[in-house]
Amino acid sequence: MDFALDDEQALIAQTVRRFVDKDVRAWAADADRAGAAPPRLTAVAGDLGFFLDAVPEAAGGLLDGPYSHLRRALRGVELGRGCAGMAALLETNVEPALAVGRWGSAAAQAALFASLAAGGLATTARDARGTLELSASADGLRISGKLGPLPALGVASHVLLLARADDEPVVALVDVAAGRREALVPSGWRAGAWGTLALEAAAVPAAMVLARGDAAAAASAEILTWYKTSLAARAAGVAVAAMAHARTYATERVQFGQPIGRFESLLRLRDDADTGAAAVRLMALHAGWLADRIKDGDGASRAAAHDAASRARVLAGDVVDRATVDAVQILGGYGFVNDYPVEKLMRDARAFAQLLGDERFDRILDLRAQEA
Amino acid sequence: MDIFHDNPMLAGVRQMLGAFARQQIRPIAAHHDREESMPWALMKMAQGFGMTQTAVVDGRKALTGKDEDEGDAKKPKSQARLGVAGSEELAYGCAGICLAIGGSGLAASPVARMGTEEQKQEFRRLLKGEDEHGHIKVAAMALSEPATGSDISGLATTARPDGDHFVIDGHKQWITNGASAAVYVVWANTDPSAGRAGVRGFLVARGTPGLVPGRKETKLGIRASETAQVHFEGCRVHKDMMLGIGQSSEGLGDTKKMLDSTRPMVGAQAVGIARAAFDYLVERVQGGTMHGTPLAHHQRVAFELAEMEMEIQAARALVHKAAWMADHHLDNVRMASIAKAYGAKVAQDVTSRALTLLGEEALEPGHPVEKWYRDAKIYDIFEGTGQIQRRIIARSIFGVNPT
Ligand SMILES: Cc1cc2nc3c(=O)[nH]c(=O)nc-3n(C[C@H](O)[C@H](O)[C@H](O)COP(=O)(O)OP(=O)(O)OC[C@H]3O[C@@H](n4cnc5c(N)ncnc54)[C@H](O)[C@@H]3O)c2cc1C
């Protein structure tokens, strides 16, 4: 086993870290206040290969060969250190582009890739509780219900939807024009161009249905593996950032005649957060590594990767919540006001455990089904 | 113990303020959170219902027309228990609005405890009527400073004697009602050579030259309650406005007593937030399904709520015990810290777990549970942080301050 990064991985981590330290962190507070990413994010990140890294070269993208989820997890940790909202925008195209590239019809590929190549965004939705109404026919799907709130949905042209129709899994590419979109700015990831999409018996043509039945179950597991791995990696970055701020503050702030960072109770908070973040980072990298090794038609490799990603996500949700809450605690009154960055991080932490639904619940239901 | 059922007065307060919270506070809570504005109209209405800004100074008299202490000073009171029962209900509506309605109590508490009759009169006079915006008048208690929060022995604000006056200089940080207050209770050191013993509280009226209300903070939560800096620049205050004048003062010890008396109420507010999230979740679970099966049929969900209910009940029992001890003139320092610290922990845990269970729907802007999650955090910070409460509890066990 080798835990060292190869040259290419190290270069990616380093490049993204530089971008984050120079630009993203500098923009984060203003973007949070404004509830929008700065317009120059698109150009600067685009130059670094974001947005189109999962779109095949032939379709105007940058993907030449297999996509590496391990590398994506490495960059995710760095992005999380910068701004979770902007990170969501930078990562949002990956799942739709990879899924459509892999399972989409020529029509689906043409539609999505043309939009992404022209600077568009896409996002991913999962009907976690089965509350959407879907019916399937030879002509495609009819969908009623509300998607979101989801990051990027406020501006996206397409949604990659994972759901069930007539009790069968289905994966489809939904054109946002099929519904009524509402852009929103929630409390966390405020730069993330969030939105909802209301669908009323919206028609999704058969060519936009990527998979149904067992094929859709397999595709969903793989798509969720990618997404959860990336979420976990970014969450580790947010936790690291929160505690980095807390550590700096705690060395400077003096109460009772000593820097507060020397009080054992605060060291304990920091150490637990750092331990958690280190664990989540490794779990995310491992999940990414497994995702890169999923073999077509090999259910076991897919299940192992999904399980690793899901575990990483469960822990990530807990760790990032605790780390950011504790960072606010370490800053005391200053932590509660927005002159300091940690209250934003606390708001940002929540979506990691809430997007895609309650991961623990899913795991329990999966285990019960497997062991029945 | 008469926590709820066999004390008609507590039950009455709960019922009245619970209805007020649901009917008046809840509908406007999201707005004031979003706008970061004080609910002045509601505060006026609350004043009309007896929730006055001087309630703590007036004691029971305002409610019943009779002072509890009349006759026998040793007789058990009910003020602390009324305070916790009422605080829980108001914070159930919205903790920020609860603090907007009750924030003056922080200033009123040392006035009630240490003020002379004249000072109490002055405090009441300054809070009478309305200000130039037609708002009711509120008070602020200014203890914390930019460099001094937990360790108040490091206060840098000074009150230099000058004839019949004291001249106050210094900066105060994170002061509730700090920008709008009509009267401030300011803590300053009258004799730096005396250290902690030199710290005294002063009543300072708005408009006093040298009193400069400062910048209002933008906050994570309790946004309906104003928090601001306050500056004192050569601010002259008559010596008659020094609290505890003519009595022996414990200096800084007075401020600690002030905090001991308000801690159970603060813990009760945290319980109110936890209960709000719990009730929301119960309703949501009752109507919700997971791929067709009712959510309440799943242990993952139902046991989580059972756990929350245990924690909420325990936290409530603790705040009522701390208040009961205060009402019975028993030393409740340890219990007040336990109640405050545990209430804060429960409010944070319950709201965080509730958000995870709710998933994406709670990412909707203005979602009440998300707001309660942000509001809950303050309960581990102000009125003594979670660490400071544990320090007090540990010291009461071992007699030393661990570091
Ligand atoms: C919204 C809001 C409203 C407020 N209202 C008022 C008000 O009306 N009047 C007023 O006077 N003040 C008010 N405060 C100030 C509040 O009381 C202080 O923020 C609080 O006491 C903590 O002080 P601090 O912020 O300076 O944190 P610090 O004391 O600097 O503490 C920073 C961290 O160090 C920890 N720490 C400190 N000492 C120890 C120790 N010995 N052992 C272990 N850990 C330790 C703390 O727990 C905390 O985690 C308010 C604050 C806020 C945020």
Side-chain angles (χ1 to χ4, degrees):
Chain A
M1 209 151 49
D2 183 359
F3 284 95
L5 304 186
D6 66 27
D7 289 348
E8 202 180 338
Q9 290 161 347
L11 184 68
I12 285 172
Q14 198 182 51
T15 309
V16 178
R17 185 176 314 141
R18 219 176 287 137
F19 162 57
V20 162
D21 287 341
K22 181 169 162 287
D23 295 321
V24 181
R25 290 172 81 108
W27 298 334
D30 285 342
D32 180 58
R33 266 188 283 275
R40 56 195 184 284
L41 175 73
T42 312
V44 179
D47 283 349
L48 290 170
F50 285 102
F51 305 118
L52 292 176
D53 61 317
V55 177
E57 236 176 7
L62 301 167
L63 183 63
D64 172 21
Y67 189 87
S68 170
H69 294 279
L70 173 55
R71 269 185 246 155
R72 186 188 187 204
L74 280 169
R75 90 175 175 200
V77 176
E78 299 302 331
L79 291 176
R81 285 179 52 248
C83 170
M86 282 186 252
L89 289 178
L90 300 179
E91 294 287 12
T92 189
N93 286 347
V94 173
E95 281 75 19
L98 289 180
V100 168
R102 186 84 173 277
W103 299 291
S105 64
Q109 295 186 355
L112 180 69
F113 296 154
S115 168
L116 299 188
L121 295 180
T123 191
T124 302
R126 173 176 179 246
D127 184 19
R129 290 217 192 112
T131 45
L132 288 180
E133 284 173 34
L134 279 90
S135 59
S137 70
D139 298 336
L141 302 172
R142 288 236 167 239
I143 312 177
S144 294
K146 190 174 111 177
L147 303 184
L150 293 173
L153 186 50
V155 293
S157 62
H158 293 86
V159 182
L160 175 67
L161 175 65
L162 318 181
R164 295 177 80 82
D166 304 332
D167 229 21
E168 272 209 334
V170 46
V171 178
L173 185 69
V174 179
D175 188 328
V176 166
R180 209 163 8 87
R181 181 219 306 275
E182 195 190 336
L184 349 141
V185 183
S187 186
W189 298 21
R190 287 169 57 83
W194 291 72
T196 54
L197 186 67
L199 300 166
E200 281 168 40
V204 177
M208 296 295 150
V209 179
L210 275 57
R212 298 179 195 223
D214 290 346
S220 293
E222 206 160 329
I223 294 164
L224 289 172
T225 301
W226 309 333
Y227 198 172
K228 291 172 187 177
T229 301
S230 175
L231 281 175
R234 287 180 252 161
V238 174
V240 165
M243 275 305 150
H245 286 299
R247 170 185 310 208
T248 308
Y249 183 80
T251 52
E252 291 161 4
R253 177 78 169 172
V254 173
Q255 293 290 285
F256 301 99
Q258 65 176 79
I260 56 166
R262 298 234 299 267
F263 287 117
E264 289 172 6
S265 55
L266 300 194
L267 281 167
R268 153 94 200 259
L269 296 184
R270 259 184 44 209
D271 196 45
D272 280 358
D274 289 345
T275 303
V280 171
R281 176 178 173 277
L282 279 179
M283 289 173 83
L285 296 180
H286 182 225
W289 185 85
L290 287 170
D292 291 346
R293 281 159 184 76
I294 297 175
K295 288 190 208 71
D296 257 350
D298 174 7
S301 67
R302 193 170 40 241
H306 181 256
D307 195 45
S310 160
R311 283 173 198 269
R313 223 267 290 201
V314 167
L315 191 67
D318 293 350
V319 163
V320 73
D321 184 38
R322 195 69 268 152
T324 54
V325 168
D326 287 345
V328 169
Q329 185 66 22
I330 291 173
L331 269 78
Y334 288 116
F336 202 73
V337 300
N338 88 342
D339 293 341
Y340 287 79
V342 288
E343 67 88 27
K344 168 186 183 289
L345 298 180
M346 185 175 143
R347 286 183 280 112
D348 282 348
R350 286 305 325 172
F352 290 107
Q354 290 171 236
L355 276 174
L356 301 174
D358 174 9
E359 190 74 38
R360 276 202 172 81
F361 204 169
D362 287 339
R363 291 188 59 74
I364 290 163
L365 294 180
D366 279 354
L367 285 170
R368 191 153 76 169
Q370 280 164 29
E371 289 167 17
Chain B
M1 267 223 305
D2 52 359
I3 288 196
F4 301 114
H5 47 282
D6 53 3
N7 183 323
M9 191 158 52
L10 289 183
V13 162
R14 277 171 58 86
Q15 202 170 29
M16 185 182 102
L17 295 187
F20 183 75
R22 277 188 297 275
Q23 290 158 20
Q24 308 293 341
I25 297 182
R26 276 286 170 86
I28 62 170
H31 169 83
H32 290 286
D33 177 59
R34 198 169 50 243
E35 303 294 321
E36 308 200 37
S37 55
M38 298 264 277
W40 291 107
L42 185 81
M43 289 158 69
K44 191 182 272 185
M45 185 197 285
Q47 180 137 299
F49 286 152
M51 286 171 263
T52 66
Q53 303 297 305
T54 55
V56 179
V57 174
D58 301 335
R60 275 274 305 286
K61 213 166 185 170
L63 285 178
T64 61
K66 263 196 8 218
D67 205 330
E68 281 196 304
D69 278 351
E70 272 169 24
D72 183 1
K74 291 214 178 80
K75 231 174 78 189
K77 294 188 179 195
S78 54
Q79 194 167 336
R81 280 167 296 166
L82 283 172
V84 294
S87 297
E88 180 187 327
E89 294 306 321
L90 293 178
Y92 179 84
C94 166
I97 293 179
C98 167
L99 288 161
I101 292 172
S104 298
L106 264 180
S109 156
V111 176
R113 198 176 258 281
M114 292 172 264
T116 60
E117 234 0 271
E118 292 70 40
Q119 288 167 346
K120 288 181 190 167
Q121 285 305 340
E122 178 66 358
F123 187 76
R124 287 191 189 99
R125 188 186 68 77
L126 289 168
L127 287 174
K128 241 195 201 99
E130 294 174 357
D131 69 7
E132 65 275 21
H133 309 291
H135 298 158
I136 65 160
K137 293 186 178 167
V138 293
M141 192 285 292
L143 174 63
S144 306
E145 299 181 355
T148 298
S150 298
D151 178 15
I152 40 184
S153 66
L155 282 191
T157 299
T158 54
R160 181 172 48 82
D162 182 20
D164 280 348
H165 288 77
F166 283 92
V167 182
I168 305 181
D169 281 287
H171 303 281
K172 296 291 179 179
Q173 183 79 22
W174 309 291
I175 305 308
T176 301
N177 295 341
S180 304
V183 52
Y184 296 77
V185 171
V186 185
W187 299 90
N189 205 325
T190 54
D191 179 5
S193 70
R196 307 156 65 94
V199 173
R200 304 296 288 255
F202 295 86
L203 277 187
V204 187
R206 184 184 195 79
T208 305
L211 161 58
V212 186
R215 187 173 66 103
K216 199 181 138 196
E217 307 285 0
T218 299
K219 306 195 295 288
L220 175 66
I222 54 159
R223 291 174 171 168
S225 164
E226 170 187 283
T227 310
Q229 300 170 356
V230 187
H231 309 289
F232 295 87
E233 298 163 358
C235 179
R236 290 176 70 80
V237 180
H238 197 273
K239 65 176 176 21
D240 288 350
M241 288 300 114
M242 183 170 85
L243 292 180
I245 190 169
Q247 308 163 16
S248 70
S249 160
E250 293 179 33
L252 212 55
D254 289 339
T255 67
K256 293 194 170 143
K257 281 196 187 139
M258 160 182 90
L259 295 173
D260 290 339
S261 72
T262 48
R263 270 174 193 149
M265 279 204 288
V266 176
Q269 289 167 24
V271 174
I273 297 176
R275 209 184 88 218
F278 175 80
D279 283 358
Y280 184 95
L281 211 51
V282 168
E283 204 169 296
R284 197 58 201 78
V285 166
Q286 268 160 354
T289 55
M290 181 74 174
H291 294 295
T293 38
L295 284 173
H297 291 192
H298 288 280
Q299 290 191 349
R300 160 67 189 146
V301 178
F303 277 22
E304 192 93 1
L305 274 109
E307 197 73 41
M308 291 177 186
E309 172 67 345
M310 290 186 232
E311 290 170 14
I312 293 168
Q313 291 293 347
R316 182 188 288 133
L318 289 173
V319 298
H320 277 268
K321 179 164 182 197
W324 180 88
M325 289 173 78
D327 280 342
H328 287 76
H329 311 287
L330 300 168
D331 176 359
N332 76 342
V333 172
R334 183 198 288 200
M335 208 56 213
S337 282
I338 291 175
K340 196 257 178 187
Y342 191 70
K345 181 173 146 60
V346 168
Q348 293 177 83
D349 284 356
V350 168
T351 52
S352 161
R353 278 147 57 196
L355 285 177
T356 302
L357 286 177
L358 289 165
E360 283 175 0
E361 69 177 68
L363 293 167
E364 198 82 50
H367 195 282
V369 181
E370 195 275 337
K371 175 191 170 301
W372 296 328
Y373 173 74
R374 289 184 284 107
D375 290 345
K377 184 66 212 158
I378 193 59
Y379 290 90
D380 224 5
I381 297 176
F382 69 0
E383 305 246 346
T385 66
Q387 284 72 28
I388 294 305
Q389 307 310 330
R390 284 162 180 81
R391 188 174 183 262
I392 294 169
I393 298 162
R395 189 178 50 219
S396 79
I397 301 170
F398 298 109
V400 291
N401 284 322
T403 59

